[in-house]
Amino acid sequence: MRNLHPAPLIALGLIAILFAELASVAVAAVPDDADLVLVVAPPWHGGPEAVVAAAGGSVVGPSNAPLAVVATDATPAAFKDAGAWFLLDPNKFPFLCATETSK
């Protein structure tokens, strides 16, 4: 039996774990009555801001994120129809979205 170096196996395992985490986040449902939605969209053709505008919504923040913005004033279905890759609840990711209020 050949001696295999463990580094490729460890790297493959870590990549699989990362992929599983990203997949679980991507399929997390956003409630239909959500006030704020984290819209993740492709960076080309205006980026997520263009997707929000096409859905009839308005961007709340952050303004310097290339793939995602927090938006309001439109339904999750409208964001998906406008070209969003997926939608997330920004309250579950306050460290990314700065939606958490200070105490």
Side-chain angles (χ1 to χ4, degrees):
M1 181 174 244
R2 291 182 6 192
N3 288 335
L4 294 176
H5 196 275
L9 295 175
I10 293 170
L12 184 62
L14 291 174
I15 289 170
I17 290 170
L18 178 64
F19 179 74
E21 285 296 319
L22 290 175
S24 68
V25 167
V27 298
V30 175
D32 289 334
D33 61 348
D35 192 31
L36 294 175
V37 177
L38 180 65
V39 179
V40 181
W44 47 86
H45 304 298
E49 292 88 357
V51 170
V52 171
S58 58
V59 175
V60 177
S63 59
N64 61 349
L67 294 176
V69 293
V70 179
T72 188
D73 296 335
T75 63
F79 290 126
K80 292 291 271 182
D81 290 342
W85 281 344
F86 53 91
L87 306 171
L88 300 172
D89 183 2
N91 296 321
K92 292 183 181 177
F93 304 96
F95 57 93
L96 292 176
C97 305
T99 58
E100 190 176 59
T101 57
S102 60
K103 295 178 183 178

